[in-house]
Amino acid sequence: MEGAVSQRLQSSRSPVQISRILRPDDANLAGNVHGGMILKMIEEAGAIISTRHCNIKNEDCCVAVLARVERTDFLSPMSIGEVAHVSAEITYTSKHSVEVQVNVMAENIIHGAKRMTNRATLWYVPLSVENVNKVVKVPPMQYSSLEQEEEGRKRYEAQKLDRIETKQRCEDMIFPVINVEPYTVGYSQSSLIHLVGPSDCTLNDFVQGGVTMKLMDEVAGIVAARHCKTNIVTASVDAINFHQKIEKGSVITVSGRMTFTSNKSMEIEVFVDVDHVFKNPKEAAHAVTAFFTYVSLDKDGKALPIPTLKVETEDEKKRFEEGRSRSIQEFDNSRKGTVLESGAGVFKLASSRQEKGGER
């Protein structure tokens, strides 16, 4: 028995790898793979390795569910016919959560060329299969040094604080607007309604985080396309926080609105509201929130100017300034690590010389 447990423990430490050839139905009309499809693959790899780890020593069988995704940058767009290689490994465990680091590589199987397209950090919480309201204790991982464990603990505390702050901002709502002029918030805002079915869910009948993120990217892409009327791609996704579980049979409404535009990029805020239609009526509440950043590209893949967002109300002006602050902060953070420069009209990471366009 000890040998079997030791073997499973060793297996849980090994990175999980998923490979998939990208097909036409994964991409937009310009052939760029949807960012939501990449996010879904990232989440699947994270769910596999975290669920495997959490069941090593637990007598109570559990399924790891997505609680948060840190900011994710799309370093290079993927195209139809390429192979996406997704690799996930566990980098930190707390008593009730698991941190997973995921890297995505794109491979041109004709020429053999490979490039990094995404890096993402995800946080999972294990829930009992028998009692989905019970959070199961996470088996501790072995660290190579005390410094590695301490750095992980700092990341854990930081994301925990951010989740609390984000949850406090979840009172905002998006209301439909009729007969509005172009380039206003109301003109491009969009919503999608989805009935959660069995194919959307994990073993415990709750929605997979990757399914939710894919729907969010679709709505954000519609908002961006309506605003620009051009080919648009995902450039990055800010931290995504999952505030509550979404059960099978629920109806979710995914809503997006433009919050900020600069000359080369635009920020879209996305909410996911859940309605438990087969249970006692409850007021719809935000289950997931996130900010998506998009860029507009011409037929040659060069960045196009973004039409300026016309803000009219005091709330819109406030959100615009908050978006500007996030943009400036992210630029400052990127300069501390990897310097961003504009090359050939598309943002590039100067250290790696990789295009910073997203997939949409």
Side-chain angles (χ1 to χ4, degrees):
M1 178 64 73
E2 291 182 0
V5 172
S6 177
Q7 187 176 9
R8 291 187 66 189
L9 183 60
Q10 185 66 34
S11 176
S12 74
R13 294 173 183 165
S14 302
V16 165
Q17 293 188 336
I18 296 175
S19 296
R20 183 177 185 277
I21 192 166
L22 300 169
R23 305 181 184 281
D25 56 352
D26 298 325
N28 64 10
L29 296 177
N32 301 120
V33 174
H34 296 300
M37 177 57 65
I38 305 303
L39 290 171
K40 187 172 183 289
M41 293 181 63
I42 288 173
E43 197 278 327
E44 288 174 351
I48 291 171
I49 195 169
S50 53
T51 297
R52 178 183 292 165
H53 177 83
C54 292
N55 283 281
I56 295 171
K57 298 180 180 180
N58 276 321
E59 295 181 0
D60 192 352
C61 295
C62 61
V63 174
V65 298
L66 186 62
R68 174 180 169 88
V69 182
E70 302 292 357
R71 177 185 173 87
T72 303
D73 290 311
F74 291 76
L75 308 177
S76 176
M78 285 194 189
S79 301
I80 297 169
E82 291 187 312
V83 174
H85 299 285
V86 185
S87 176
E89 64 178 329
I90 294 174
T91 49
Y92 180 76
T93 57
S94 68
K95 184 177 180 181
H96 291 123
S97 63
V98 180
E99 180 191 52
V100 179
Q101 181 71 42
V102 182
N103 293 323
V104 183
M105 300 285 294
E107 178 188 7
N108 184 314
I109 55 178
I110 296 177
H111 302 291
K114 292 184 178 180
R115 67 187 186 282
M116 176 73 72
T117 62
N118 300 83
R119 293 187 182 93
T121 302
L122 302 87
W123 292 89
Y124 288 84
V125 174
L127 300 181
S128 170
V129 173
E130 299 297 327
N131 179 6
V132 295
N133 293 315
K134 177 183 177 182
V135 179
V136 176
K137 187 176 179 180
V138 175
M141 69 172 286
Q142 300 296 318
Y143 301 96
S144 60
S145 65
L146 291 176
E147 290 77 11
Q148 182 191 20
E149 183 175 8
E150 179 61 20
E151 287 299 317
R153 188 190 65 79
K154 290 179 180 178
R155 295 192 301 272
Y156 167 75
E157 294 296 337
Q159 67 86 26
K160 186 177 179 180
L161 179 61
D162 187 73
R163 278 179 55 79
I164 294 173
E165 293 176 350
T166 304
K167 197 168 186 178
Q168 294 173 347
R169 299 198 301 264
C170 282
E171 304 300 323
D172 207 356
M173 302 293 290
I174 298 179
F175 298 99
V177 180
I178 303 175
N179 295 329
V180 292
E181 63 175 300
Y183 308 129
T184 60
V185 175
Y187 181 80
S188 59
Q189 74 177 37
S190 305
S191 295
L192 179 154
I193 299 175
H194 180 75
L195 174 64
V196 177
S199 63
D200 299 322
C201 298
T202 61
L203 296 176
N204 55 10
D205 288 338
F206 288 101
V207 174
Q208 299 177 44
V211 171
T212 305
M213 291 191 291
K214 186 173 183 293
L215 292 172
M216 295 173 76
D217 180 71
E218 288 179 10
V219 169
I222 292 171
V223 173
R226 280 179 167 171
H227 183 78
C228 293
K229 308 296 185 185
T230 60
N231 176 39
I232 46 84
V233 295
T234 315
S236 66
V237 184
D238 207 352
I240 302 178
N241 291 289
F242 292 75
H243 304 296
Q244 62 173 281
K245 301 185 293 292
I246 303 175
E247 301 175 72
K248 181 175 68 177
S250 300
V251 172
I252 56 176
T253 302
V254 187
S255 304
R257 65 184 171 198
M258 191 81 63
T259 52
F260 170 74
T261 58
S262 67
N263 183 46
K264 297 287 185 172
S265 67
M266 48 196 149
E267 180 190 74
I268 298 101
E269 184 177 23
V270 181
F271 298 132
V272 178
D273 297 321
V274 57
D275 184 7
H276 306 281
V277 293
F278 295 115
K279 292 189 174 183
N280 293 330
K282 293 181 180 179
E283 184 176 349
H286 291 328
V288 191
T289 56
F291 290 98
F292 287 71
T293 299
Y294 278 75
V295 295
S296 173
L297 303 179
D298 64 15
K299 62 181 181 179
D300 297 319
K302 295 182 179 180
L304 294 170
I306 304 296
T308 302
L309 180 65
K310 297 178 181 178
V311 290
E312 301 171 309
T313 68
E314 290 303 316
D315 285 342
E316 290 174 0
K317 294 175 183 177
K318 179 183 177 182
R319 289 193 293 269
F320 189 91
E321 291 305 317
E322 290 173 346
R324 189 200 304 274
S325 297
R326 283 187 292 271
S327 179
I328 294 173
Q329 182 180 8
E330 179 54 33
F331 179 74
D332 290 341
N333 290 340
S334 67
R335 292 189 66 181
K336 292 177 183 177
T338 306
V339 180
L340 284 178
E341 65 178 14
S342 177
V346 179
F347 299 125
K348 291 192 175 183
L349 290 168
S351 63
S352 63
R353 310 307 300 172
Q354 291 178 318
E355 291 183 356
K356 179 186 170 58
E359 293 88 6
R360 171 67 222 144

